Structures are given as structure tokens and as C-alpha cells.
Amino acid sequence: MNERKISSSNYNNQIYLENRCTLNELLNLVSKRWMTEVLFCIEEGTSRFSGIKEDLKYISDTILADRLKILRNYGLIIQNDFHEVPPRIEYSLTSSGEELCNLLDQLCQFSENCMQMCGINSTQNKVGAE
Amino acid sequence: MNERKISSSNYNNQIYLENRCTLNELLNLVSKRWMTEVLFCIEEGTSRFSGIKEDLKYISDTILADRLKILRNYGLIIQNDFHEVPPRIEYSLTSSGEELCNLLDQLCQFSENCMQMCGINSTQNKVGAE
DNA sequence: ACAAGTACTCATTTTTTTATTAGTGATGAT
DNA sequence: ATCATCACTAATAAAAAAATGAGTACTTGT
């Protein structure tokens, strides 16, 4: 995947929003596709790359590797490398990661009431759609 | 903006995730650019299109209209049309919308600790980045 | 010598999202 | 008669995100 244009309105708006409130940065992070599921896998003890891959059956290597890296960069998970061959690397939540999971669980409860109440699929909500 | 391909892996994966957990649908909704800010504007009493536009200075008409429509579809805000000319339409939160705002506030508090601790900008976290 | 297993990376294509620009309709003020 | 106002829509272009397919290193087993 390619570089971001740092001279675009798209980029500038994002920076503007992230500066306005860090919530925007957090949402930008957790809303990436598969992100919460990866987090929940790790929370539930599925700690290896291959295990997560198996659990989230349609996720690609590329995306999983990316999501793990981001979570690691944000200090939400840590990596334990056993230095074996074939590689054995395990992930677990940091306390920050656990805290986030709890908050997401609350949001999840809300969404179960709210989303199903109105029976709309977000994929039907795009600009220009009727 | 154009139609979604309903026969793509991209689309299918999203459906898969939304079926797995409605949280994914909610996150997909609230993480759209400007969405939380629009919600917070309304929460704080900035109830008209033009007012929100002024407050979020770089948002475009297109996006604002889209975000309001989505929020309305999900029953998070309601519209009060005064049938005046020039038009006067006011938005306010539903109880669902208020509940969501409260949850987002909690997330916001978390993000203020977590995000700044690691000093990383989400815009620097993309697949393939070093 | 070759295949299998694991946790990845890299380059490219496809799809989606966001931004840009130009409109619309009704009316009151100039 | 034209202009300004407000809350939008529609078409298109630009940018970003996600998916695809291939390749890597390192060992143990055959």
C-alpha cells in the first residue's frame, strides 16, 4: 500500500480532527476493518498469528500483520517472541488494551440495542444513496 | 459518489464483520469523518446546518448533509423542519443519540490518556509504513 | 534436495471514501 | 429583475483503504 499525500485536504482535515479531539484518532484506529475482532481474539486468548487468522476466516495476512503492528505501536498489545523455528510469537493485551476492550464492550451493548432497532445496514448508508 | 459493489470481497468482509458483531456496524458509522463532531455540535446545541458548518470549518456541504442523513437514519438525531423560507431546520439528539454521546465521551477520556502516551499519530499508521 | 510450517513483507489492483464544484427551489430584500 | 439566504443534491475527481498474489527467512523432517 502506498504513501499518504501530506498536502491534501483529505489529510489536513484528518489532522484538524485529530487535533480537535483525540477521540477521532482513536476511532480512526479501532474502526479499521478487523481491528476490534483482532483485539477481541487476543483478549480471549487466541494469541498467535495463525490462530487469529483461523478465527477471522476471511482476513488476509497483509491486513492481520498491519493490524497487529498498529495495535503494538499504540501500546494496546505486546508481543512475546519465543525465537523458535518455525516462528512462535504470542500477543497479549496490555492494561491499556484491556481498558479499551471494556469500553468497546459497552459500545457493543449499545449497538445491539440501537443498530437492530432501526434495522439499517451501515453499508447502505453512503453519500448519494437513496 | 457512486454505488457499492455488492459482489466484492471488500463488501462481503464488511457484511461478515457486521454479522459477527454489531459493534462493527456502529464503529463504521461513528468513525466516518466529521461524524462525532457533528454529533457533539448537536449535543451542545448547535442545531442548524449552517451553524454546524461554521463550527466545523473545513467540512463540506456534501459531507455534512450525508452525515446528518445517516444520523437521522439511525435514529440518533431528529429533524425539526420549520417550513420557512429561507429554510430553517433544526436537529436535536434522540435519547439514543444522547446515550451514544455519553459512551463516546468515555472513549474520549480513554483516548486522551492512551493516545498521547504513545505519541503516535494515526495518520502515520498505514499498511506498509515503517 | 525438497517440502512444510510460521509470521511476516512488498507491489499492484480493486473498491471505497472524501473532496470539489456546480447546481436547485422558494421567498424577501434591494 | 436580480441577489442573497439556507439546506440541501448530483456528478466527478482525488485520495485512501482493503484485497490479491507473490515472495522471504529459517529450520526440521523426508
Side-chain angles (χ1 to χ4, degrees):
Chain A
M1 323 197 180
N2 33 23
E3 302 277 303
R4 253 195 114 147
K5 283 239 172 113
I6 60 163
S7 61
S8 61
S9 291
N10 190 313
Y11 178 82
N12 287 328
N13 283 345
Q14 179 146 343
I15 297 297
Y16 171 78
L17 288 169
E18 290 181 2
N19 289 340
R20 211 170 204 266
C21 179
T22 52
L23 173 62
N24 288 307
E25 188 177 349
L26 179 64
L27 284 177
N28 206 45
L29 156 66
V30 299
S31 69
K32 282 177 191 296
R33 199 168 285 180
W34 306 102
M35 191 63 94
T36 56
E37 299 298 332
V38 170
L39 208 50
F40 290 151
C41 274
I42 295 171
E43 186 187 26
E44 284 159 20
T46 304
S47 54
R48 300 183 60 181
F49 193 97
S50 52
I52 299 170
K53 241 198 98 155
E54 205 174 327
D55 200 18
L56 307 176
K57 57 180 178 174
Y58 302 117
I59 198 173
S60 69
D61 286 15
T62 316
I63 295 293
L64 177 50
D66 175 66
R67 299 311 186 242
L68 289 170
K69 190 198 268 184
I70 294 178
L71 289 171
R72 205 143 34 92
N73 283 347
Y74 272 101
L76 296 165
I77 61 175
I78 47 169
Q79 199 188 39
N80 186 5
D81 189 342
F82 289 83
H83 297 290
E84 292 175 9
V85 170
R88 178 166 162 225
I89 291 171
E90 293 188 0
Y91 293 97
S92 54
L93 295 183
T94 61
S95 59
S96 235
E98 279 172 25
E99 201 184 330
L100 180 56
C101 279
N102 291 338
L103 290 169
L104 291 175
D105 280 339
Q106 286 183 52
L107 259 193
C108 184
Q109 305 238 323
F110 168 79
S111 71
E112 275 169 18
N113 299 331
C114 166
M115 298 287 107
Q116 276 160 5
M117 210 169 62
C118 47
I120 297 175
N121 215 302
S122 73
T123 53
Q124 297 168 348
N125 273 313
K126 54 196 186 318
V127 175
E130 187 43 43
Chain B
M1 323 197 181
N2 33 23
E3 300 279 302
R4 251 196 116 149
K5 283 238 170 112
I6 61 163
S7 62
S8 62
S9 292
N10 190 313
Y11 179 81
N12 287 329
N13 283 344
Q14 179 145 344
I15 297 295
Y16 171 78
L17 287 169
E18 290 181 4
N19 289 339
R20 210 171 206 264
C21 179
T22 51
L23 173 61
N24 289 307
E25 189 178 350
L26 178 64
L27 284 177
N28 205 45
L29 155 66
V30 297
S31 69
K32 283 180 191 295
R33 199 167 287 178
W34 305 101
M35 191 64 95
T36 56
E37 299 299 331
V38 171
L39 207 51
F40 290 149
C41 274
I42 295 171
E43 187 188 26
E44 286 160 21
T46 304
S47 55
R48 300 183 61 180
F49 194 96
S50 51
I52 299 171
K53 241 199 98 154
E54 205 175 328
D55 200 16
L56 307 176
K57 57 180 178 175
Y58 302 117
I59 198 173
S60 70
D61 286 15
T62 316
I63 295 293
L64 178 51
D66 175 67
R67 299 312 185 242
L68 288 169
K69 190 197 269 184
I70 295 177
L71 290 171
R72 205 142 34 93
N73 283 346
Y74 272 100
L76 295 166
I77 62 175
I78 47 167
Q79 200 188 39
N80 187 5
D81 189 342
F82 289 83
H83 298 289
E84 293 177 6
V85 170
R88 177 166 163 225
I89 292 172
E90 293 188 357
Y91 294 97
S92 54
L93 295 184
T94 61
S95 59
S96 237
E98 277 172 26
E99 202 184 330
L100 179 55
C101 279
N102 290 338
L103 291 168
L104 291 175
D105 280 338
Q106 285 182 53
L107 258 194
C108 185
Q109 304 237 323
F110 169 79
S111 71
E112 275 169 19
N113 299 330
C114 167
M115 296 288 108
Q116 277 161 2
M117 210 168 61
C118 45
I120 295 174
N121 216 303
S122 72
T123 53
Q124 297 168 348
N125 275 313
K126 55 197 185 316
V127 175
E130 187 44 42

